[in-house]
Structures are given as structure tokens and as C-alpha cells.
């Protein structure tokens, strides 16, 4: 069965510092990977997906199949980036998402 | 608001009672999903519909849980004989056919006393 691991429950950085939120997955095939974000008092929303290979709000994520990782990065954190971040996976041809347990990012002024 | 809506937002019930939650997806989305989220965890998949057909069910979905989407529009999730372990946030999401970008609702928080 597939599994998504986010090893850090909390990541605290200062404004302007680089951010890397770690995500590792276990699945033998070629999954689709996503990052979802939940800002305070808002609903869960998609931040980015690996097949789009785009940068959203300055965030990027690269799928590393050798290391089975999909880490989320941003070179300069902003206070408005403070939120809960979830990494998620879907198997080929399937729609169900398997989520990690989430990492809370706290950007201090 | 044209996003996914869920009703009620909060439900407190006593152990053994039945509860039903409703989800209204984004109108042009054919696919609808139910997830459950407990404190400190990410959402866990429960079930998924394409139009009115229930295509996938998680092993988490015990026989006390049933979901329907009778006309391919709104969906209901019923929990019979609730247990304290059912206390969680129940999330609904919808997506268009062409992409697996799931749009989430605000959730229904269930507390079983």
C-alpha cells in the first residue's frame, strides 16, 4: 500500500529565510504527487502538483523518483506562508488521495 | 460562494445515534470524494463517486458508514450507531473529469459523546 511521510510536524523559520518542507512516499509505481495547503480558518486547497512543474506563490517541488521524495521549497519565506502543508499522492488511474500527516510552517517576522 | 459546501458545519451527538451529512459539490464537477480527518493527521480517503456511481471505497469505511449520490449532484454520508472513535472532521471534495485537482469543502466536525 502507498504511504506518504512528512517527518516534521512543525517548521519554524524567520521571514526571508529559505524553506524546505520534506515529503517522502512509498509506492512502487509512478504516482501523481501534490502539495495542499490550509491557511488559518480556510479550507484545504491545492498548492501545486508535480505534473504541472510550475511555481505557485514562489513555491516549487521536484519529484525525485530515486529518493521517492517530493520536497516543497521556497527561497525566501513570507509571513503569509504560515499555514499547514500536506503532501499527497494518487496512484495511476486512481482518484483517491493519500495524505501525509502535515507540517505546520510558522514564519516569524 | 460557488465552492463546495457542507452541512451541517458542526454536529454533536450521543453514542449510538445515527447522523447524516450533506455535501454539495461545485456544479460542473462530476467527481465527489469523502475524507475523514482526525486531530494531528492528514485527511484519510473514505469513498469516491463519479456521477451517481460509487467507484471506490476505503477499507476504513465500515458497514456502519454509507454514502450516496442519488442524482449525481449532492451526496450524503450516513453513520449509523455512532461510536466515540467516529469523532472527526468529515471533508467533502469535488473535481472535474479532466484533472485530479480536488476542491475541498469546509468540513463537518462530528463530536460523539
Amino acid at each position: 500500500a502507498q504511504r506518504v511521510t512528512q517527518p516534521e510536524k512543525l517548521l519554524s523559520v524567520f521571514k526571508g529565510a529559505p524553506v524546505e518542507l520534506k515529503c517522502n512516499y512509498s509506492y512502487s509505481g509512478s504516482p501523481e504527487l501534490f502539495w495542499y495547503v490550509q491557511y488559518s480558518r480556510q479550507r484545504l486547497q491545492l498548492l501545486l502538483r508535480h505534473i504541472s512543474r510550475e511555481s505557485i506563490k514562489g513555491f516549487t517541488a521536484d519529484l525525485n523518483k530515486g529518493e521517492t521524495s517530493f520536497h516543497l521549497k521556497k527561497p525566501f519565506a513570507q509571513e503569509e506562508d504560515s499555514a499547514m502543508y500536506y503532501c499527497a499522492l494518487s496512484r495511476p488511474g486512481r482518484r483517491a488521495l493519500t495524505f501525509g500527516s502535515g507540517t505546520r510552517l510558522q514564519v516569524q517576522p | 460562494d460557488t465552492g463546495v459546501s457542507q452541512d451541517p458545519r458542526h454536529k454533536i451527538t450521543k453514542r449510538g445515534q445515527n447522523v447524516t451529512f450533506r455535501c454539495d459539490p461545485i456544479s460542473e464537477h462530476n467527481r465527489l470524494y469523502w475524507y475523514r480527518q482526525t486531530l494531528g493527521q492528514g485527511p484519510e480517503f473514505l469513498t469516491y463517486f463519479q456521477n451517481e456511481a460509487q467507484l471506490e471505497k476505503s477499507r476504513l469505511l465500515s458497514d456502519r458508514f454509507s454514502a450516496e449520490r442519488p442524482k449525481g449532484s449532492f451526496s450524503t454520508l450516513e453513520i449509523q450507531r455512532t461510536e466515540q472513535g467516529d469523532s472527526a472532521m468529515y471533508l467533502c471534495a469535488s473535481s472535474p473529469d479532466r484533472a485530479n485537482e480536488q476542491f475541498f469543502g469546509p468540513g463537518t466536525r462530528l463530536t460523539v459523546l
Side-chain angles (χ1 to χ4, degrees):
Chain A
Q2 68 278 9
R3 187 182 183 98
V4 177
T5 303
Q6 293 179 252
E8 301 141 327
K9 283 203 173 301
L10 172 66
L11 183 63
S12 185
V13 301
F14 287 103
K15 178 181 170 182
V19 170
E20 182 178 67
L21 296 160
K22 290 185 167 49
C23 172
N24 289 89
Y25 66 90
S26 62
Y27 179 65
S28 56
S30 296
E32 189 172 358
L33 275 297
F34 305 82
W35 277 99
Y36 277 79
V37 62
Q38 187 165 26
Y39 301 102
S40 179
R41 294 192 177 87
Q42 294 188 27
R43 57 187 70 187
L44 198 57
Q45 59 186 279
L46 180 67
L47 180 62
L48 54 79
R49 49 198 302 194
H50 89 271
I51 62 172
S52 300
R53 303 184 66 82
E54 57 193 344
S55 172
I56 304 291
K57 300 184 179 182
F59 284 98
T60 58
D62 289 319
L63 178 59
N64 185 323
K65 291 186 179 180
E67 295 183 358
T68 59
S69 67
F70 188 56
H71 303 327
L72 183 68
K73 299 178 185 179
K74 184 169 182 176
F76 307 104
Q78 303 299 314
E79 289 180 69
E80 55 265 30
D81 296 328
S82 295
M84 196 74 188
Y85 291 80
Y86 294 96
C87 183
L89 168 160
S90 69
R91 293 181 287 170
R94 309 291 285 270
R95 289 292 182 126
L97 292 174
T98 299
F99 285 86
S101 55
T103 298
R104 179 168 298 284
L105 175 64
Q106 203 170 65
V107 181
Q108 300 183 56
Chain B
D1 184 1
T2 56
V4 177
S5 61
Q6 293 187 244
D7 183 69
R9 296 291 304 276
H10 304 273
K11 178 71 178 177
I12 300 174
T13 191
K14 292 182 179 178
R15 190 178 52 183
Q17 298 294 304
N18 300 343
V19 294
T20 300
F21 309 141
R22 177 180 170 125
C23 170
D24 285 88
I26 293 171
S27 58
E28 61 268 27
H29 287 180
N30 291 335
R31 299 173 191 262
L32 186 148
Y33 313 80
W34 285 99
Y35 292 84
R36 179 174 69 186
Q37 186 174 21
T38 53
L39 201 60
Q41 299 299 316
E44 295 173 295
F45 171 76
L46 293 177
T47 190
Y48 147 59
F49 290 85
Q50 181 176 342
N51 299 311
E52 64 275 7
Q54 190 172 18
L55 295 188
E56 199 172 342
K57 286 170 64 170
S58 164
R59 278 170 282 183
L60 288 176
L61 211 65
S62 76
D63 55 6
R64 296 185 298 106
F65 287 69
S66 62
E68 293 183 343
R69 195 182 182 198
K71 295 182 180 177
S73 56
F74 73 91
S75 175
T76 58
L77 177 69
E78 182 183 16
I79 309 174
Q80 296 183 325
R81 305 181 302 282
T82 52
E83 302 172 355
Q84 287 185 324
D86 297 331
S87 296
M89 178 74 86
Y90 289 83
L91 296 168
C92 177
S94 69
S95 72
D97 276 338
R98 68 185 182 281
N100 199 14
E101 177 179 354
Q102 296 185 20
F103 293 79
F104 282 81
T108 295
R109 182 169 296 283
L110 172 66
T111 301
V112 182
L113 302 176

